[in-house]
Amino acid sequence: MTTTDRCDFQKVDFSRILMPDLRNLRERLKLSSTDKGDAISALVIAIQMIAKYCKKLKYRRKILLITNGRGSMDADDIADIAKKINQDEMELVILGVDFDDREYGFKEEDKDPHKAKNEEVLRALVNGCDGVFGTLEQAIIELGQPRLKSTRPVTSYKGQLTLGDPEQYKSAMCIDVERYPRTMVAKASTASQFVHNSDLSNGQASTQSSATIIPDGDTLESGHNTANTSGLTSVKNARTYQVIDEEAPGGKRDVDREELAKGYEYGRTAVHISESDENVTKLETKAALEIIGFVPMAKYERYMSMSTASQIIAQKTNEKAKMAMSSLIHALFELEDYAVARLVTRDDRSPVLVLLAPEITPDYECLVDVQLPYAEDFRSYKFPPLDRVVTVSGKVLTEHRNLPSSVLTTAMSTYVDQMDLSTFGTDDNGAPAEYMRMEDTFSPVLHRIDQAIRWRAVHPTESIPPPYEILTKFSKRPEELQSKTKRPLEKLIAAADVKKVPPKLKGRKRDRNTITPLSGLDVSSLLSHSPHRTTISPTNAIPEFRQMLATTEDPSAIHEAAAQMGAIIESQITHSLGDSGYGRAIEGMRVMREELIELEEPG
């Protein structure tokens, strides 16, 4: 472009904005009562600045133009400007005050003809470079809409997907594939430790703060201050290692990191393995993805998935691999099977078992994989059934006070149906739709921290605004849904015979009356055969210990109960066969600790 030689662009003011300038931008911006200024001229200067500083490097080039559209515009070079934007792969966003936007549903009535003409010029420019054109009102509203960060896909495995041993059998299947993350936990920004510069001594040198961006040479020449405006200095951590040495001052002696040795716990013994023998503990593996079997979809339990999901596709530039991969995916889909594979992402990495599930969409085909557990990863627990009661004699009861009745089951089913969110919302046409779609739910922690960081960076002293409405929208039930489910909830409460639980006693002080149960019965006195127990039986230690504390107010009797309970716990540990008695001892210590804390007795 040679338009910089024209006088139209000689009075355009521009500068690069750094964080110190951004904080003072509100004070520097002054409202003008004039509509002078050519938006096209400012756009040309922005294009030249990007071309000068970004050159051909991999930058994200974006121009944001905000205007009221009432100034004079020179539209002679619109086609050349759009061509330059496309060549340099720039993104143009134009936001106008009260601009007509059919998609947003806004139109200004009795619009000034000059402004309408400028809108058509800017709209034609945006259409010529595939930019974004909209009204400023929509942009302000969307400030409260969290922006999802697009992540660059990074392969976690590049190699062959094999079925059989290709080194021994020519009929073995080999497909060149690539593996990418499908889902990943989005983590919030973490805080670093800093110290105020004022806390440092005058003669002490400070390290460069990681919060300070060093301007380049052009900025230095422009007169920008390079001082640390945040007033913070980064903190460096130091770690020391000590061992017990009775002859050293303080009973401990510092040792260097090089003197440390690795050891593995074996019981209560530290087993040392030297560096020369460390290869014994490592499994030598080669990067591979090997199918070892298949399992029907109906027999796979969803709780077996142990990790986030990844997707496997054929090598992008290999047409033969794409054809073979598509055949495998369609075969699994038609047979309703999953594939089980052994995955080693890098050489000498630990192998994992993954489940390969086919996914077919109009746009692409892939295998979605999740990690499967080994035998050591699986935890098996036995719980009593929920639909029946088995007595000691082996009799099965389907009606019991601990089992829900048919009335309760019906009331709960009705309440759950009324709480259904899959059809509670509405779509654009007013038809029932899902209320809380995954693409409309955002992490409150992640975006709230991001909001606070961005606000405090620009407004160091002002209070942080409340969180965006979209972040708190799903933290509570909609009022319409609450009123809809009020009656079913009342029936459920009546069917379940829900009663208010008395407040828990925080301490049993002698000068305070105990709370009487709602039934008026003293269950402890009914169950206690000895109102004033003096000894605790080892076979029924915990209930008798509690009864002994509940039926006495004498401190000496409390001390005696604690001594007896302590002796019983010590006996359980001493006479335990292996670790068979440790569980009862731990439970006894827990009960003893809780009961004595609640007594609030002085030491």
Side-chain angles (χ1 to χ4, degrees):
M1 271 188 182
T2 60
T3 52
T4 52
D5 297 333
R6 296 171 48 184
C7 60
D8 298 346
F9 308 103
Q10 293 179 357
K11 296 183 179 180
V12 178
D13 184 21
F14 66 93
S15 62
R16 298 176 64 193
I17 298 179
L18 300 178
M19 184 58 68
D21 304 315
L22 190 61
R23 292 176 175 175
N24 301 326
L25 186 61
R26 186 184 298 273
E27 298 178 359
R28 294 174 57 187
L29 289 177
K30 303 296 182 182
L31 295 178
S32 175
S33 58
T34 178
D35 293 326
K36 293 182 179 180
D38 188 352
I40 301 297
S41 302
L43 182 60
V44 171
I45 295 298
I47 295 174
Q48 292 178 344
M49 289 179 62
I50 292 178
K52 177 181 178 181
Y53 291 102
C54 297
K55 298 180 177 63
K56 299 297 182 180
L57 301 177
K58 291 185 178 180
Y59 282 100
R60 182 184 176 186
R61 301 167 175 86
K62 183 175 182 179
I63 300 175
L64 177 61
L65 175 63
I66 301 177
T67 177
N68 61 1
R70 297 183 179 275
S72 60
M73 295 184 186
D74 186 0
D76 296 338
D77 300 323
I78 289 295
D80 295 334
I81 293 175
K83 182 179 178 181
K84 179 64 175 177
I85 292 176
N86 292 328
Q87 287 179 351
D88 292 353
E89 297 181 353
M90 301 180 189
E91 180 184 358
L92 177 62
V93 179
I94 296 181
L95 301 176
V97 179
D98 295 335
F99 276 16
D100 296 343
D101 192 339
R102 183 179 303 175
E103 296 181 359
Y104 180 65
F106 177 81
K107 182 178 181 181
E108 183 183 10
E109 302 294 339
D110 301 329
K111 187 186 295 290
D112 182 23
H114 178 68
K115 180 181 178 182
K117 180 180 179 180
N118 288 339
E119 282 190 35
E120 294 300 326
V121 171
L122 296 176
R123 192 186 301 272
L125 174 61
V126 169
N127 294 335
C129 58
D130 295 329
V132 178
F133 183 89
T135 182
L136 190 60
E137 180 183 358
Q138 181 183 5
I140 295 175
I141 294 176
E142 289 189 355
L143 287 176
Q145 185 78 8
R147 291 290 182 262
L148 300 182
K149 181 181 179 181
S150 59
T151 57
R152 184 173 62 91
V154 179
T155 57
S156 57
Y157 171 76
K158 276 187 177 182
Q160 289 187 333
L161 171 63
T162 61
L163 176 59
D165 190 353
E167 296 181 357
Q168 297 184 8
Y169 306 100
K170 295 182 179 180
S171 60
M173 182 191 71
C174 296
I175 305 175
D176 294 325
V177 297
E178 299 175 356
R179 182 173 182 258
Y180 296 91
R182 181 67 175 270
T183 59
M184 189 73 66
V185 178
K187 298 182 179 180
S189 302
T190 57
S192 302
Q193 293 182 342
F194 295 91
V195 64
H196 286 278
N197 288 333
S198 58
D199 296 338
L200 300 176
S201 59
N202 295 330
Q204 183 179 358
S206 61
T207 59
Q208 173 64 38
S209 171
S210 60
T212 304
I213 301 177
I214 299 297
D216 57 14
D218 295 335
T219 307
L220 291 173
E221 294 176 0
S222 301
H224 285 275
N225 186 13
T226 61
N228 185 358
T229 56
S230 63
L232 300 176
T233 299
S234 60
V235 179
K236 292 184 177 181
N237 298 326
R239 179 177 295 180
T240 60
Y241 300 90
Q242 294 179 334
V243 296
I244 299 176
D245 188 354
E246 298 179 356
E247 298 180 358
K252 295 182 180 180
R253 175 172 57 87
D254 294 342
V255 295
D256 296 333
R257 179 180 176 85
E258 291 73 14
E259 301 179 20
L260 302 179
K262 291 185 178 180
Y264 294 86
E265 290 188 1
Y266 185 71
R268 295 186 178 181
T269 305
V271 179
H272 168 61
I273 296 180
S274 61
E275 295 183 1
S276 59
D277 296 334
E278 273 192 357
N279 293 331
V280 179
T281 62
K282 294 182 179 179
L283 182 64
E284 296 182 1
T285 56
K286 297 292 184 181
L289 178 57
E290 305 166 342
I291 296 178
I292 60 178
F294 301 91
V295 59
M297 293 182 180
K299 293 186 177 181
Y300 177 73
E301 301 292 345
R302 295 292 296 271
Y303 62 81
M304 303 290 284
S305 302
M306 287 185 59
S307 66
T308 57
S310 299
Q311 59 185 13
I312 300 173
I313 61 174
Q315 195 177 54
K316 297 179 181 179
T317 58
N318 192 332
E319 296 298 330
K320 183 178 179 181
K322 292 181 180 179
M323 183 66 67
M325 189 68 171
S326 178
S327 301
L328 175 61
I329 293 172
H330 280 268
L332 292 175
F333 181 79
E334 293 174 4
L335 296 176
E336 297 183 352
D337 281 346
Y338 294 140
V340 179
R342 175 182 178 271
L343 173 64
V344 181
T345 56
R346 297 287 189 275
D347 291 345
D348 297 329
R349 290 283 184 89
S350 300
V352 295
L353 293 178
V354 293
L355 184 82
L356 306 181
E359 182 178 8
I360 301 175
T361 65
D363 298 330
Y364 66 92
E365 300 173 350
C366 69
L367 291 175
V368 179
D369 74 88
V370 291
Q371 183 178 345
L372 295 176
Y374 287 111
E376 296 80 7
D377 302 324
F378 191 76
R379 301 291 185 268
S380 180
Y381 302 100
K382 292 184 178 180
F383 299 98
L386 300 178
D387 58 346
R388 62 188 182 277
V389 173
V390 181
T391 62
V392 179
S393 60
K395 185 179 179 180
V396 178
L397 302 178
T398 57
E399 295 184 1
H400 191 267
R401 59 184 179 87
N402 293 334
L403 297 177
S405 60
S406 58
V407 177
L408 177 58
T409 303
T410 303
M412 177 61 74
S413 178
T414 303
Y415 180 68
V416 172
D417 292 340
Q418 294 294 325
M419 289 286 292
D420 186 14
L421 298 178
S422 60
T423 57
F424 181 72
T426 56
D427 56 13
D428 297 336
N429 300 325
E434 186 178 358
Y435 171 70
M436 193 173 65
R437 299 182 303 171
M438 184 181 67
E439 55 267 24
D440 295 334
T441 57
F442 304 94
S443 171
V445 175
L446 190 149
H447 292 288
R448 177 56 175 168
I449 293 178
D450 180 67
Q451 177 192 10
I453 293 173
R454 289 189 287 108
W455 179 269
R456 183 47 52 88
V458 183
H459 308 84
T461 57
E462 298 183 15
S463 59
I464 299 176
Y468 300 134
E469 182 182 358
I470 189 65
L471 300 180
T472 59
K473 178 181 179 180
F474 302 118
S475 61
K476 54 184 179 299
R477 290 187 301 164
E479 295 182 359
E480 182 181 351
L481 186 63
Q482 293 186 29
S483 59
K484 178 183 176 181
T485 58
K486 183 178 180 181
R487 182 58 181 169
L489 179 60
E490 293 176 351
K491 293 183 178 180
L492 177 61
I493 294 175
D497 193 20
V498 178
K499 296 180 180 179
K500 186 176 180 180
V501 179
K504 184 179 179 181
L505 293 174
K506 294 183 179 180
R508 296 195 294 269
K509 295 183 179 179
R510 300 184 185 88
D511 56 350
R512 187 180 68 186
N513 296 327
T514 58
I515 297 179
T516 305
L518 297 177
S519 60
L521 299 176
D522 190 353
V523 181
S524 299
S525 61
L526 294 177
L527 298 178
S528 176
H529 299 288
S530 178
H532 301 285
R533 182 177 297 276
T534 57
T535 59
I536 301 176
S537 173
T539 58
N540 193 29
I542 292 178
E544 294 182 4
F545 173 70
R546 287 174 171 169
Q547 293 175 8
M548 190 170 179
L549 295 181
T551 57
T552 184
E553 296 182 356
D554 186 7
S556 60
I558 296 175
H559 295 164
E560 177 64 23
Q564 292 186 35
M565 191 65 181
I568 292 173
I569 294 174
E570 183 179 355
S571 176
Q572 291 173 344
I573 298 175
T574 305
H575 299 90
S576 173
L577 182 60
D579 58 354
S580 60
Y582 292 173
R584 290 185 298 169
I586 293 174
E587 180 66 14
M589 287 188 291
R590 184 189 66 81
V591 173
M592 182 178 176
R593 176 184 175 86
E594 292 179 354
E595 293 293 329
L596 294 180
I597 288 176
E598 291 183 356
L599 282 176
E600 298 182 1
E601 289 290 336

